[in-house]
Amino acid sequence: MQILAGVGAGALPTEVEYLVIAGGAGGGRSGGGGGAGGYRTSASFAIGASFTVTIGAGGAGNNTDGQTGTVGSNSIFSTITSSGGGGGGSYGANGASGSSGGGGGSEDATVKTGGSASPSGQGNAGGNGSGTSNRGSGGGGGASASGGNGTAGVGGNGGAGSSSSITGTAVLRAGGGGGSGATTGGSATAGGGTGGGAGGGGAGTAGTVNTGGGGGGGRDGTGSAGGSGIVIIAYPDSFDALTTIPGGLTYSVSTVSRAGFRVYTFTAGTGTVTV
């Protein structure tokens, strides 16, 4: 039987499960895919009387040679911070470091390297650009795999995301953006919520909102934006509902998506929640 807030339960939660994903980074112009936002999760985390939640925005794509896409913004739950992904390198630029690194950009005769995963433990490095005249840029790193290297004319695939069943259904999130290529862009299919790289001209695909996916690299055009992050917490529904959630946070709560649990999903904003 479902226990309603304040009726029969009489106890507030002291531990929760969490999933905290930061904003994915933007891709570069004629360049690499953006790195996925940092991915942090735990099955047991102690909470106090209140905690802060902040949802990180995705980074913008870049349209200037020699620069990178914008880094994603951090997401925060209590003392847990997931760092934003690193921007994909535009033509002539290496990928930027981040929770997952951005893919290296294109250049005719010089390999542009992917960004490193920093801080460590939240994602993976970006792939390298090909360094050939056909210009294949690297894919952005994802939560569970590094971005693919670009080859002649072909962009590297975005690194794969990671799957979580915290809501009761397995969902893949935080994949890296695909790199651009002169003929074929890198695939977005490897990662959760990641944007695909453009091939043969045009813009890549943006990272999906609330997945932390990296944005795809553009081809002779602006790289695409990364997806915003998300914070999800869950605890047994034998405990009461959270007391106060401020208006600055956009959220939903379910007691049916995962049997026996209250699942709170925060998708935008920032604020302090009272337990």
Side-chain angles (χ1 to χ4, degrees), residues 225-247:
S228 56
I230 195 168
V231 171
I232 303 173
I233 64 170
Y235 59 85
D237 63 8
S238 55
F239 293 97
D240 281 352
L242 298 173
T243 301
T244 305
I245 300 175

Side-chain angles (χ1 to χ4, degrees), residues 1 4 88 140 144 191 213 273:
M1 179 179 68
L4 301 177
S144 65
V273 176

Side-chain angles (χ1 to χ4, degrees), residues 12-39:
L12 294 167
T14 58
E15 289 189 352
V16 299
E17 299 177 31
Y18 71 74
L19 175 65
V20 183
I21 300 177
R29 177 186 185 275
S30 294
Y39 189 103

Side-chain angles (χ1 to χ4, degrees), residues 156-176:
N157 292 337
S162 290
S163 180
S164 170
S165 297
I166 189 171
T167 62
T169 301
V171 178
L172 191 65
R173 302 178 179 91

Side-chain angles (χ1 to χ4, degrees), residues 14-93:
T14 58
E15 289 189 352
V16 299
E17 299 177 31
Y18 71 74
L19 175 65
V20 183
I21 300 177
R29 177 186 185 275
S30 294
Y39 189 103
R40 301 187 68 181
T41 188
S42 175
S44 179
F45 179 79
I47 56 173
S50 64
F51 56 82
T52 297
V53 173
T54 299
I55 308 303
N62 183 263
N63 193 31
T64 304
D65 291 349
Q67 297 185 10
T68 65
T70 304
V71 65
S73 297
N74 297 348
S75 287
I76 298 169
F77 161 60
S78 185
T79 60
I80 304 301
T81 298
S82 288
S83 300
S90 294
Y91 177 81

